[in-house]
């Protein structure tokens, strides 16, 4: 990947234990975080794995006002409104020089950490079982945490923006 990529952001929500999903779904509901996700990613290409694409409710596929780039090992896969790529490198090349947001899942996040220039992480104050986990955030990242807020669903959450030192 060339250094011409101005911004490769990763965006996700996680519990304090790093859970990001269970059974190909998000195990909590925070409408305010979904609004934040839309605000941050709108107008930018989004990169996701095929399972993340499949987890989106059909009425929201493709995500509007965003270029939807889907990584899959299945060469014959296609979906209306999605651009299929076979690797993260190909997905980032497909996005071009526009700022791009990687939106999951766990395997894609871990692969994208080497390219990331920014992390936008919503911390959900919840203990829950999961089968998908956020990538480790190394010491080269500094967090600017936002204030704790309470969702209309009663869950506490806060947004942390990480940048590289």
């Amino acid at each position: 990947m060339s250094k011409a990529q101005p911004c490769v952001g990763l965006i996700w929500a996680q519990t304090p234990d790093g859970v990001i999903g269970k059974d190909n779904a998000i195990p909590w509901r925070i409408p305010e975080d979904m609004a934040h996700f839309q605000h941050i990613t709108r107008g930018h290409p989004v990169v996701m794995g095929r399972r993340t694409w499949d987890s989106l409710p059909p009425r929201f596929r493709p995500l509007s006002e965003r270029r939807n780039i889907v990584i899959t090992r299945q060469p014959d896969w296609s979906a209306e409104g999605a651009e299929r790529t076979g690797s993260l490198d190909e997905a980032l090349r497909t996005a071009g020089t526009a700022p791009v947001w990687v939106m999951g899942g766990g395997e894609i996040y871990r692969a994208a950490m080497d390219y990331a220039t920014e992390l936008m992480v919503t911390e959900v104050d919840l203990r829950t079982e999961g089968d998908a986990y956020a990538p480790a955030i190394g010491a080269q990242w500094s967090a600017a945490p936002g204030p704790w807020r309470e969702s209309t669903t009663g869950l506490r959450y806060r947004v942390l923006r990480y940048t590289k030192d």
Side-chain angles (χ1 to χ4, degrees), residues 124-145:
V124 180
D125 189 18
L126 175 71
R127 302 283 180 197
T128 188
E129 298 277 322
D131 56 20
Y133 292 87
I137 299 173
Q140 74 273 28
W141 294 95
S142 293

Side-chain angles (χ1 to χ4, degrees), residues 73-127:
R73 294 180 189 98
Q74 299 172 343
D76 59 344
W77 183 89
S78 68
E80 188 174 333
E83 296 177 59
R84 185 220 166 268
T85 63
S87 69
L88 178 62
D89 283 338
E90 183 183 353
L92 294 177
R93 281 194 308 274
T94 298
T97 58
V100 61
W101 287 95
V102 175
M103 55 174 280
E107 183 179 338
I108 304 297
Y109 286 134
R110 282 184 286 286
M113 286 297 282
D114 289 341
Y115 300 99
T117 57
E118 177 178 3
L119 308 176
M120 191 70 68
V121 179
T122 299
E123 185 178 9
V124 180
D125 189 18
L126 175 71
R127 302 283 180 197

Side-chain angles (χ1 to χ4, degrees), residues 37-55:
F37 171 84
Q38 289 176 10
H39 173 75
I40 295 294
T41 63
R42 185 176 289 124
H44 301 288
V46 290
V47 171
M48 69 193 92
R50 192 221 12 105
R51 287 183 301 233
T52 297
W53 170 270
D54 289 345
S55 75

